[in-house]
């Protein structure tokens, strides 16, 4: 049981390049999230999903896109990378429905640098 | 608007001393609060949640609605408690959208 797996762990991008951060979970969780963490700051929610085919914006969605075609996968797309997107990105999942205790399970994080 | 405030970025205590990590929140509804912890080279993980009223690894946290606080306490700190601690508030219960404080790095000195 791997939990939440993110790839890549590290990436350097040039301004204007595009990339996708991959996230997959094997816990059959309905809810999935993408957070970013800037130095000295708390985690900020980018996008979230409450099930396959359903996504919604969080606090800081500009410059990002997501999709949720399966329960397991929740990729985060950066279309035109900007230096302001330099951050550590965390994917998380949680159980939905009656068994939802509110606990989020996190991936190890992906450190992205845009130069 | 800052929903969760952790005023101390760094906190150092000696082993065996009491420790309190402060968390204040702003929320008009009935809050649901959590403490998450990240040990060195490990993932961010749940430490405790206020609705459970539980003690985990000797830590407790009491929700004080009057002071809008959810401070994390432990009477006798251990070196293995050294970690980054985040207080989190659930803004939208159904979707479990957590908003996190900026974190407190706790160092327990020998």
């Amino acid at each position: 049981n791997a939990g939440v797996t993110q790839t890549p762990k590290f990436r350097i991008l040039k301004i204007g390049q595009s990339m996708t951060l991959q996230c997959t979970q094997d816990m059959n969780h309905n809810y999935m999230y993408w957070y970013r963490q800037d130095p000295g700051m708390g985690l900020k929610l980018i996008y979230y999903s409450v099930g396959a085919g359903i996504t919604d914006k969080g606090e800081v969605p500009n410059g990002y896109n997501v999709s949720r075609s399966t329960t397991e996968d929740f990729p985060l797309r950066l279309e035109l990378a900007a230096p302001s997107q330099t951050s550590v990105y965390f994917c998380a999942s949680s159980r939905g429905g009656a068994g939802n205790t509110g606990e989020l399970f996190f991936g190890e994080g992906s450190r992205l640098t845009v130069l | 608007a800052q929903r969760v405030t952790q005023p101390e970025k760094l906190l150092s205590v000696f082993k065996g001393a009491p420790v309190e990590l402060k968390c204040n929140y702003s929320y008009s509804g009935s809050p649901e609060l959590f403490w998450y912890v990240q040990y060195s080279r490990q993932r961010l993980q749940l430490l405790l949640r206020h609705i459970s009223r539980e003690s985990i690894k000797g830590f407790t946290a009491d929700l004080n609605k009057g002071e809008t606080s959810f401070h994390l306490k432990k009477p006798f700190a251990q070196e293995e408690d050294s970690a980054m601690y985040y207080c989190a508030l659930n803004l939208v219960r159904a979707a479990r959208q957590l908003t996190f404080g900026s974190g407190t790095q706790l160092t327990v000195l020998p």
Side-chain angles (χ1 to χ4, degrees):
Chain A
N1 203 351
V4 178
T5 302
Q6 292 179 233
T7 57
K9 286 187 170 48
F10 302 93
R11 183 73 186 268
I12 298 175
L13 283 180
K14 292 183 179 179
I15 294 172
Q17 284 186 320
S18 300
M19 76 159 297
T20 300
L21 295 174
Q22 301 290 346
C23 176
T24 187
Q25 53 94 6
D26 60 2
M27 297 174 283
N28 201 34
H29 284 169
N30 288 326
Y31 296 173
M32 295 188 74
Y33 312 82
W34 274 106
Y35 285 88
R36 60 176 284 174
Q37 184 178 32
D38 300 329
M41 306 292 286
L43 283 74
K44 293 189 177 181
L45 183 64
I46 306 171
Y47 270 96
Y48 69 99
S49 168
V50 298
I54 306 169
T55 63
D56 209 344
K57 296 177 180 179
E59 184 182 0
V60 289
N62 291 343
Y64 307 94
N65 278 301
V66 293
S67 60
R68 185 93 182 273
S69 56
T70 66
T71 299
E72 294 78 20
D73 300 308
F74 191 42
L76 177 72
R77 178 88 178 155
L78 285 73
E79 290 295 348
L80 292 169
S84 60
Q85 293 177 304
T86 294
S87 191
V88 180
Y89 292 84
F90 290 96
C91 181
S93 71
S94 72
R95 191 176 293 119
N100 190 350
T101 62
E103 180 176 5
L104 266 61
F105 295 82
F106 283 85
E108 293 179 296
S110 299
R111 185 175 296 275
L112 176 66
T113 302
V114 182
L115 301 174
Chain B
Q2 185 74 16
R3 303 287 192 136
V4 180
T5 303
Q6 294 180 250
E8 302 138 330
K9 286 197 183 306
L10 303 171
L11 182 63
S12 295
V13 299
F14 286 100
K15 178 182 173 182
V19 61
E20 180 180 65
L21 292 90
K22 292 184 168 54
C23 172
N24 289 91
Y25 67 91
S26 59
Y27 187 61
S28 58
S30 184
E32 187 176 26
L33 287 146
F34 305 82
W35 276 99
Y36 277 78
V37 60
Q38 188 169 26
Y39 300 103
S40 179
R41 290 185 289 279
Q42 293 189 27
R43 302 176 187 218
L44 193 60
Q45 58 188 284
L46 177 67
L47 179 63
L48 56 78
R49 48 186 174 253
H50 90 271
I51 57 173
S52 300
R53 294 182 173 272
E54 57 201 344
S55 173
I56 304 293
K57 299 185 179 182
F59 284 98
T60 59
D62 292 320
L63 177 61
N64 186 324
K65 291 187 179 180
E67 296 182 357
T68 59
S69 68
F70 187 56
H71 303 329
L72 184 67
K73 300 177 184 178
K74 185 170 183 177
F76 307 103
Q78 302 299 314
E79 289 182 70
E80 55 266 29
D81 296 327
S82 295
M84 191 72 170
Y85 291 81
Y86 295 94
C87 183
L89 168 69
N90 186 12
L91 289 180
V92 181
R93 286 187 184 243
R96 299 290 175 184
Q97 289 184 53
L98 298 189
T99 187
F100 288 80
S102 54
T104 298
Q105 177 68 50
L106 173 67
T107 302
V108 180
L109 303 166

